[in-house]
Amino acid sequence: MNKIFVTSDGYHYEIDRIGVIAQLDHRPYKYDSAYSAIYDTDDYKRGNDSLQAMRLNFVTRAHGRAIRSIMDVGYGNGAFLEAVKESIPNRYGHDVTGVPLTSAYLMPELIKADVYTFWDVIEHYPDCSFLRDVQCETICVSLPYCHLFTEGVAWFDSWHHRKPNEHIRHFTPFTLAAFMQKYGWQFTDESDHEDIIRKPREIGKQNIISMAFKRK
């Protein structure tokens, strides 16, 4: 049976049968050029080159051969697409903000590509059913690691990645694998490499999950 709980600021969350934590009372969140500009601040730029290089390495390993085309969904300021322009010949980006890209084609809809990347994106989607139909061989995902099951609701209540209405869902590696499997994607690889740059605020707790998937 699903479990529902309420945080101290009055938001309602549900833990479903596979353990995914979802905000029930989320409202539309404004994603625009001002939101994307967050990723141009010094805090985000610090270590950016290394972070994008690690992401490229992870994607290449997960795909298992040379990548000819890539679709970066929710590309933010386009930093990843800029970083892979010498490595991947066909680059596409899709983002609700529509912020212009200089190193890739901006696509109004999702198109076929070898690889799809969702860097800090899946947790934002109110409805992820589109994952059943994306036309690619490999999907790579990064998102915050939620430790509610080991640390409790009080920890979750003050967790810095709990951003009501913006971050709608929260995962562990196990629940992310189960979530993706529901849409036809099999877990193939996992890494904590982003923590080298995006350092955990709490000792001993992984901050960012990176996982790869292929069609079942």
Side-chain angles (χ1 to χ4, degrees):
M1 182 179 295
N2 295 3
K3 177 182 178 181
I4 295 174
F5 64 96
V6 184
T7 53
S8 63
D9 47 2
Y11 291 101
H12 291 71
Y13 289 84
E14 178 183 53
I15 304 173
D16 70 13
R17 62 182 181 82
I18 61 173
V20 176
I21 304 154
Q23 185 188 344
L24 295 176
D25 50 359
H26 58 85
R27 296 181 178 180
Y29 192 86
K30 186 177 182 180
Y31 296 101
D32 55 16
S33 58
Y35 180 86
S36 294
I38 294 171
Y39 299 98
D40 293 322
T41 61
D42 290 341
D43 282 347
Y44 278 95
K45 285 182 176 179
R46 192 175 299 115
N48 177 69
D49 290 347
S50 296
L51 176 62
Q52 305 309 338
M54 287 189 287
R55 285 175 169 175
L56 175 59
N57 182 66
F58 181 68
V59 168
T60 303
R61 184 179 79 191
H63 191 57
R65 63 181 187 280
I67 301 169
R68 302 298 302 171
S69 58
I70 195 163
M71 166 71 79
D72 189 19
V73 182
Y75 56 75
N77 65 355
F80 177 68
L81 291 167
E82 172 68 23
V84 303
K85 66 182 180 182
E86 303 298 331
S87 305
I88 302 174
N90 301 297
R91 302 170 305 281
Y92 310 102
H94 176 76
D95 195 300
V96 295
T97 66
V99 170
L101 291 168
T102 58
S103 301
Y105 291 105
L106 193 164
M107 306 305 297
E109 58 188 27
L110 303 181
I111 65 169
K112 186 176 181 179
D114 290 346
V115 176
Y116 268 45
T117 54
F118 296 87
W119 306 131
D120 299 295
V121 173
I122 292 293
E123 68 272 25
H124 294 259
Y125 272 98
D127 180 7
C128 291
S129 59
F130 71 95
L131 290 169
R132 290 192 183 95
D133 302 316
V134 293
Q135 300 179 66
C136 66
E137 180 181 331
T138 306
I139 287 179
C140 291
V141 174
S142 71
L143 45 73
Y145 192 136
C146 182
H147 298 275
L148 179 144
F149 297 117
T150 57
E151 302 303 314
V153 173
W155 174 89
F156 180 76
D157 201 80
S158 60
W159 182 39
H160 67 287
H161 284 303
R162 185 180 72 85
K163 301 177 179 180
N165 302 320
E166 181 185 357
H167 289 178
I168 296 171
R169 290 183 183 81
H170 302 285
F171 301 88
T172 67
F174 178 82
T175 62
L176 179 58
F179 181 80
M180 293 296 290
Q181 186 170 17
K182 182 173 66 172
Y183 296 113
W185 294 94
Q186 187 71 42
F187 161 71
T188 59
D189 201 358
E190 179 185 352
S191 176
D192 62 355
H193 60 266
E194 294 213 4
D195 281 13
I196 296 171
I197 303 299
R198 305 170 68 186
K199 297 185 183 300
R201 295 189 181 183
E202 300 172 83
I203 296 174
K205 291 185 180 64
Q206 186 177 333
N207 185 35
I208 303 297
I209 303 166
S210 293
M211 295 180 71
F213 305 87
K214 289 186 180 288
R215 281 287 184 195
K216 289 172 59 177

